[in-house]
Amino acid sequence: MGVLVNLWTQVRRTLNLGNGGTGNTEGWATGVIKVCWNRTGSSIPLRTLVKLTGTYNDPRVTPTTSASDKVLGVVVGYWDPDDPQTLIQADAPDVSMVAVLTHGTTRVLLNSGGATRGQYAFPSTTSGAASSSATVAAGAFGIYQGSGSGSADAIVTLTGTQGAGIGASTSFGTPNLTLGTANAAGAASTAIRTDATILAFDATTPASSPLGGAGSVGAATVAARRDHVHPITGALDALSDVTAPTPSVGDVLTWTGSAWVNQSPGADSNIWRPVMGYNGTGYEVIVDAGSGGTALMGFGPT
């Protein structure tokens, strides 16, 4: 009959491989340890945050040095091929083989900002040290189970994501949706937050619409507001700007007070015309001698 044992809280000494342990005094029975080559050429301290040197088929590791590094795990010892019982030694690694905890709970070195229990762990610019943030985002590799001040260390539970980050499933960016004449899937790998603002309008005054001007499809990537107004250019009081309806023979161009129209001659057709006078032998245009001979005009029925 078997007995259930909590390997984290109840095991105080070495649990050998034959009994389901890993053969070390830290009790990493529930963790995953990856044996890697030491790329630095010198001993890497315990609790150092490390990354793979190159691609994922390159088993060499080196301490993290950037907040954007993809974290492999934390150094917890070294591999001893001469000890078949222990295998993983919980001591400072030698210059060749490094034991890296990729899944599980361990201690990690901190940068000068320290760490707060319950916050998320990120790589920092301090070599091999982690930082702490209350906000989850891409690059987070674990959650702190204990706090630490200054550049000491703190207990962290690794997610085993090898740098993808527990917050990397959703990455947000500034909306850049394009208004167009066809749908397109796009290629960005970032998402839009529900309270984001999308550019649909601008503060540009609509272009002028000259009389007789040609139409245009336009090329602006923003929409017009429904109360927008186009400025109208060109004089509306000149006959050259008016195209009257097709007249019949004998019609006169008459101003109705609101528009110029063609009408048959009659009493209701008022037009401007020169004032004529009889000089005894014939009719002539009457001029205003005081204005230099300007012809007098009259407005009345034809």
Side-chain angles (χ1 to χ4, degrees), residues 146-237:
S147 300
S149 60
S151 55
D153 56 43
I155 298 175
V156 64
T157 296
L158 305 176
T159 62
T161 53
Q162 296 193 5
I166 54 181
S169 58
T170 303
S171 180
F172 299 96
T174 302
N176 191 27
L177 299 180
T178 301
L179 302 179
T181 58
N183 293 323
S189 59
T190 50
I192 299 175
R193 292 181 170 87
T194 56
D195 59 350
T197 300
I198 298 174
L199 172 65
F201 309 103
D202 60 13
T204 302
T205 301
S208 299
S209 297
L211 293 173
S216 173
V217 174
T221 57
V222 291
R225 294 174 171 86
R226 66 176 182 176
D227 58 350
H228 75 283
V229 177
H230 288 267
I232 305 297
T233 60
L236 297 178
D237 58 347

Side-chain angles (χ1 to χ4, degrees), residues 38-172:
N38 182 353
R39 176 64 178 80
T40 65
S42 60
S43 178
I44 301 178
L46 287 173
R47 304 169 185 175
T48 298
L49 199 61
V50 293
K51 61 181 178 180
L52 290 171
T53 299
T55 58
Y56 286 114
N57 60 358
D58 185 345
R60 297 174 300 171
V61 294
T62 186
T64 58
T65 55
S66 170
S68 60
D69 283 342
K70 292 186 176 181
V71 174
L72 175 64
V74 179
V75 173
V76 293
Y78 69 95
W79 180 56
D80 184 3
D82 296 326
D83 187 346
Q85 288 296 319
T86 303
L87 293 182
I88 303 300
Q89 299 285 348
D91 295 311
D94 61 14
V95 296
S96 58
M97 303 302 294
V98 181
V100 179
L101 186 73
T102 62
H103 300 68
T105 302
T106 186
R107 288 185 174 273
V108 65
L109 298 179
L110 303 174
N111 66 358
S112 58
T116 302
R117 175 183 172 87
Q119 290 194 354
Y120 301 95
F122 293 84
S124 71
T125 56
T126 303
S127 179
S131 62
S132 178
S133 174
T135 304
V136 63
F141 65 88
I143 300 176
Y144 288 107
Q145 304 301 324
S147 300
S149 60
S151 55
D153 56 43
I155 298 175
V156 64
T157 296
L158 305 176
T159 62
T161 53
Q162 296 193 5
I166 54 181
S169 58
T170 303
S171 180
F172 299 96

Side-chain angles (χ1 to χ4, degrees), residues 241-265:
D241 293 330
V242 178
T243 302
T246 303
S248 300
V249 176
D251 281 357
V252 293
L253 186 61
T254 303
W255 176 253
T256 65
S258 60
W260 290 96
V261 298
N262 290 310
Q263 289 185 0
S264 300

